């Protein structure tokens, strides 16, 4: 398996010699290595940062990567792969939940480690499920677990803006951080300002049964995507579809709610909707249950009328990973800006990772953050 700044592979012995060769129209790199068991190679940063040199030299083009082995008697044919370098650097910040620490942290693109920044309100020990406004100024998060009340934070310094103790569940926050949708513990989705739990409008249970959960606000501020569950509770359920409603902040209220994506026989739960930066596409997870631990999950994407629905199989590894690994994709989140002609989708995976993470037990394997690029015009993934 390959990643941006290092390479990893299986097979071979400590006495073997390996030859790594990268070629592109304006770039070439060679490296010879020995004693590479397990097979790993980190691109050097001194005297030249090789990865930075590569990405600066090769723009919107492909790089051919070849790895070849010599065992002292036989020179084996190289194993080749192709990398496409997008015409832009990723920017921004990834916010995520450190599950075992009960804290939301953030990782700025390019930084070697995440930053702890949340200033927890008095009495709050766990800050968990969260959402960030499209303009990046405000974060809303649930506390404690269980009944999961919510609060808002200023992202510049992590300062608490508001904290309340009403049962909530997951929350969505408006693009400029002014409003919050919350309350699925009680089977509804309430609309309030970011600094109050006064209910301005309510998205009630759906006609024919079903309750809203996992809300996500469109970047243009006009729509809300959400799951409609038909069994279980706000967090534990196995039957759900994806819906969309219009949001009116003047009246205020919700209108025009309708289903976009239905579950399938093998993946009965559609959850974690996320909006593309242009508010024209919604990516989502489709799994065997709402909780990701132990679930079989995949990712999909749909346009706003449901006429184009695609599975994001390549990003999940379908066709080149074992079935139990390619069905370990969950919780997608779009980067709020397109870059280099692509949308960028961050998601959680519990797949094995080269020869670094090899645990395949669903009860103990590691969660990882991955990113895939999606062509804006056709929403085809790479």
């Amino acid at each position: 398996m390959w990643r941006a700044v290092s390479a990893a592979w299986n097979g071979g012995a400590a006495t073997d010699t390996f030859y790594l060769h990268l070629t592109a129209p304006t770039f070439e790199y060679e490296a010879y290595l020995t004693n590479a068991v397990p097979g790993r190679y980190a691109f050097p940063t001194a005297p030249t940062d090789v990865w930075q040199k590569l990405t600066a030299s090769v723009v919107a083009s492909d790089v051919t990567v070849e790895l070849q082995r010599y065992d002292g008697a036989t020179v084996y044919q190289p194993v080749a792969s192709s990398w496409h370098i997008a015409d832009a650097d990723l920017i921004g910040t990834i916010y995520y939940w450190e599950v075992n620490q009960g804290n939301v942290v953030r990782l700025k693109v390019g930084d070697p480690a995440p930053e702890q920044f949340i200033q927890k309100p008095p009495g709050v020990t766990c800050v968990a499920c969260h959402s960030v406004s499209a303009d990046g100024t405000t974060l809303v998060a649930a506390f404690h677990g269980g009944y999961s009340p919510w609060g808002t934070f200023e992202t510049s310094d992590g300062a608490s803006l508001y904290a309340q103790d009403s049962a909530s569940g997951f929350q969505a926050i408006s693009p400029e951080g002014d409003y919050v949708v919350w309350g699925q513990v009680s089977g509804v989705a309430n609309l309030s300002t970011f600094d109050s739990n006064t209910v301005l409008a309510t998205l009630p249970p759906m006609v024919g049964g079903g309750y809203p959960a996992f809300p996500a606000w469109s970047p243009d501020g006009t729509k809300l995507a959400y799951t409609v569950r038909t069994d279980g509770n706000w967090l534990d359920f196995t039957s759900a579809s994806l819906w969309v409603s219009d949001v009116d902040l003047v009246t205020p209220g919700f209108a025009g709610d309708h289903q976009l994506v239905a579950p399938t026989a093998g993946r009965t739960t559609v959850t974690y909707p996320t909006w593309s930066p242009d508010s024209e596409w919604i990516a989502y997870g489709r799994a065997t249950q709402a909780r990701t631990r132990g679930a079989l999950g995949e990712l999909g994407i749909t346009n706003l009328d449901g006429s184009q629905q695609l599975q994001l199989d390549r990003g999940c590894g379908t066709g080149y990973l074992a079935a139990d690994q390619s069905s370990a994709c969950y919780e997608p989140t779009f980067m709020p800006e397109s870059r280099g002609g692509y949308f960028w989708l961050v998601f959680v995976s519990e797949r094995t990772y080269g020869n670094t993470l090899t645990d395949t037990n669903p009860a103990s394997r590691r969660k990882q953050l991955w990113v895939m690029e999606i062509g804006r015009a056709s929403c085809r993934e790479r």
Side-chain angles (χ1 to χ4, degrees):
M1 175 177 179
W2 301 85
R3 60 188 175 106
V5 294
S6 67
W9 61 91
N10 294 323
T15 55
D16 292 346
T17 299
F18 292 91
Y19 172 58
L20 180 64
H21 189 204
L22 280 68
T23 55
T26 59
F27 181 89
E28 184 174 16
Y29 179 75
E30 295 178 299
Y32 292 89
L33 25 151
T34 57
N35 197 29
V37 175
R40 297 175 189 167
Y41 177 72
F43 289 117
T45 57
T48 300
D49 188 322
V50 172
W51 183 254
Q52 186 180 57
K53 189 76 170 178
L54 168 62
T55 55
S57 301
V58 181
V59 177
S61 185
D62 291 338
V63 180
T64 298
V65 183
E66 294 181 316
L67 181 69
Q68 197 166 6
R69 181 167 71 98
Y70 172 59
D71 65 5
T74 303
V75 177
Y76 293 89
Q77 291 293 318
V79 175
S81 62
S82 179
W83 298 346
H84 181 78
I85 307 296
D87 188 14
D89 291 328
L90 292 186
I91 59 175
T93 302
I94 298 173
Y95 294 82
Y96 66 95
W97 181 29
E98 283 188 331
V99 181
N100 296 335
Q101 303 300 320
N103 197 26
V104 173
V105 298
R106 62 186 177 194
L107 179 66
K108 296 179 180 177
V109 173
D111 283 1
E115 172 191 6
Q116 296 191 19
F117 73 105
I118 289 290
Q119 300 178 37
K120 296 178 180 178
V124 173
T125 58
C126 177
V127 181
C129 302
H130 59 279
S131 179
V132 181
S133 60
D135 67 1
T137 63
T138 314
L139 180 146
V140 62
F143 304 143
H144 309 317
Y147 71 112
S148 294
W150 61 274
T152 51
F153 299 86
E154 171 65 54
T155 58
S156 62
D157 58 6
S160 173
L161 298 174
Y162 173 71
Q164 54 92 2
D165 200 45
S166 299
S168 175
F170 293 96
Q171 299 83 36
I173 190 166
S174 63
E176 296 179 349
D178 297 329
Y179 295 87
V180 172
V181 171
W182 58 280
Q184 305 95 72
V185 169
S186 57
V188 299
N190 297 317
L191 174 67
S192 298
T193 60
F194 77 99
D195 56 358
S196 170
N197 65 352
T198 299
V199 177
L200 304 176
T202 296
L203 183 65
M206 304 298 106
V207 175
Y211 304 92
F214 291 93
W217 215 307
S218 64
D220 65 8
T222 65
K223 297 182 183 300
L224 190 77
Y226 50 94
T227 285
V228 170
R229 62 175 178 84
T230 53
D231 71 343
N233 57 49
W234 71 276
L235 186 58
D236 292 290
F237 53 89
T238 60
S239 179
S241 53
L242 176 64
W243 288 54
V244 169
S245 289
D246 297 327
V247 183
D248 181 1
L249 296 178
V250 177
T251 305
F254 301 95
D257 46 285
H258 61 282
Q259 180 178 294
L260 267 186
V261 179
T264 64
R267 303 286 187 266
T268 58
T269 308
V270 184
T271 56
Y272 292 101
T274 178
W275 291 86
S276 61
D278 62 0
S279 299
E280 295 295 327
W281 297 86
I282 303 172
Y284 54 88
R286 186 154 48 190
T288 51
Q289 61 187 33
R291 283 190 186 268
T292 58
R293 178 64 74 187
L296 298 176
E298 60 195 23
L299 304 181
I301 192 168
T302 180
N303 61 351
L304 293 191
D305 65 8
S307 61
Q308 292 180 265
Q309 297 188 16
L310 308 170
Q311 289 302 115
L312 300 177
D313 288 337
R314 293 181 65 185
C316 289
T318 302
Y320 61 90
L321 294 179
D324 66 323
Q325 301 299 300
S326 61
S327 60
C329 275
Y330 321 101
E331 304 174 28
T333 301
F334 271 110
M335 177 180 165
E337 292 186 17
S338 60
R339 297 286 291 171
Y342 299 97
F343 297 135
W344 298 88
L345 189 70
V346 178
F347 61 99
V348 171
S349 180
E350 294 181 2
R351 69 183 73 175
T352 56
Y353 184 61
N355 51 34
T356 302
L357 299 177
T358 58
D359 185 7
T360 60
N361 184 349
S364 58
R365 62 192 184 187
R366 296 285 189 91
K367 291 180 178 289
Q368 309 145 47
L369 289 177
W370 288 70
V371 61
M372 72 172 79
E373 62 183 48
I374 301 175
R376 290 185 303 179
S378 62
C379 267
R380 290 184 179 176
E381 56 177 329
R382 288 185 63 92

